[in-house]
């Protein structure tokens, strides 16, 4: 399931360029997977393509969209109207993926009632997080996004759970406590950068400081303590 969104994004690009059919190799390359993996994944959907022709991009995109639950335009409610929340609110990729920002909420009275976004969300006004239960009742099933500070993340999570939201995406560092029936996905930018740093340091293997030695680096990227 985790690879299906990548296939859908690739198919969307092919369709945007008026490509009606695509081979498994072309689709796999666009999605960043091996052809054999892609064929196995799509076989679970009952889609095997046509030998010598490939996959119908529109039909396959429709099948994947239905499997992912993207047959409807999902409303997204964001709690946290700071810089991160505003950036997510204005991200054009949400609309392309079948999502719409229905509300941007915050508890700060200095932010409430201010304009919330541009582009697709132009005209949206930041609301009071206290209205979250009423908003969820009005919208029906929603996907919640937590864009608060680390200190406010658990309170935002609790507010979503109390309002009956079962699907949450959090950008706040640290783990959240939520009931087992609530699905929480965490995006931790610092963790992802740390993973990249691990791979990047392979180029500078000789500069890795021993345990107990400062790792401060000079402008060249080499540890100042190691070179002294």
């Amino acid at each position: 399931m985790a690879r299906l969104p990548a296939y859908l994004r690739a198919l969307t690009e092919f369709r945007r360029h008026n490509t009606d059919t695509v081979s498994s190799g072309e689709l796999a390359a666009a999605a960043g997977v091996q052809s054999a993996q892609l064929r196995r994944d799509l076989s679970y959907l009952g889609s095997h393509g046509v030998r010598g022709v490939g996959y119908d991009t529109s039909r396959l995109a429709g099948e994947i969209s239905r499997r992912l639950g993207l047959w409807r335009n999902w409303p997204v409610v964001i709690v946290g109207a700071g810089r991160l929340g505003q950036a997510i609110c204005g991200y054009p990729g949400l609309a392309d993926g079948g999502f719409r920002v229905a509300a941007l909420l915050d508890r700060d009275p200095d932010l409430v009632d201010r304009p919330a976004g541009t582009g697709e969300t132009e005209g949206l006004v930041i609301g009071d997080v206290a209205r979250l239960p009423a908003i969820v009742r009005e919208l029906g099933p929603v996907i919640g996004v937590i864009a608060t500070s680390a200190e406010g993340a658990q309170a935002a999570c609790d507010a979503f759970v109390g309002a009956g939201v079962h699907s949450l995406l959090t950008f706040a560092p640290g783990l959240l406590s939520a009931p087992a029936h609530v699905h929480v996905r965490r995006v931790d930018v610092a963790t992802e950068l740390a993973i990249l740093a691990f791979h990047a340091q392979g180029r500078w293997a000789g500069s890795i400081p021993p345990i107990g030695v400062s790792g401060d680096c000079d402008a060249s990227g080499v540890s100042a303590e190691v070179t002294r």
Side-chain angles (χ1 to χ4, degrees), residues 190-208:
T191 296
E192 297 304 320
L193 289 173
I195 293 171
L196 290 174
F198 168 78
H199 292 291
Q201 76 174 345
R203 295 185 57 204
W204 305 95
S207 69
I208 300 175

Side-chain angles (χ1 to χ4, degrees), residues 39-49 55 59-60 63 67:
R39 287 193 294 269
R40 281 197 299 271
D41 291 342
L42 297 185
S43 69
Y44 294 128
L45 301 180
S47 181
H48 301 278
Y55 295 93
R59 179 179 177 183
L60 183 55
E63 291 178 3
R67 183 59 63 93

Side-chain angles (χ1 to χ4, degrees), residues 22-123:
V22 62
S23 70
S24 60
E26 291 170 330
L27 182 54
V33 301
Q34 297 295 320
S35 296
Q37 180 67 68
L38 178 135
R39 287 193 294 269
R40 281 197 299 271
D41 291 342
L42 297 185
S43 69
Y44 294 128
L45 301 180
S47 181
H48 301 278
V50 177
R51 184 179 295 276
V53 177
Y55 295 93
D56 182 303
T57 55
S58 294
R59 179 179 177 183
L60 183 55
E63 291 178 3
I64 294 176
S65 294
R66 285 191 294 274
R67 183 59 63 93
L68 289 173
L70 299 179
W71 48 268
R72 57 169 294 181
N73 192 18
W74 278 93
V76 174
V77 176
I78 303 172
V79 170
R83 285 177 292 183
L84 177 58
Q86 293 274 2
I88 298 170
C89 185
Y91 176 53
L94 293 180
D96 292 340
F99 304 94
R100 62 181 178 88
V101 177
L104 177 62
L105 309 176
D106 205 283
R107 65 181 181 181
D108 186 345
D110 291 335
L111 292 176
V112 173
D113 293 333
R114 288 189 176 186
T118 61
E120 295 288 337
T121 57
E122 189 171 3

Side-chain angles (χ1 to χ4, degrees), residues 168-208:
L168 297 174
L169 176 66
T170 176
F171 288 86
L175 298 177
L176 297 176
S177 175
H181 68 275
V182 175
H183 301 281
V184 180
R185 300 280 296 180
R186 187 163 69 103
V187 178
D188 189 332
V189 176
T191 296
E192 297 304 320
L193 289 173
I195 293 171
L196 290 174
F198 168 78
H199 292 291
Q201 76 174 345
R203 295 185 57 204
W204 305 95
S207 69
I208 300 175

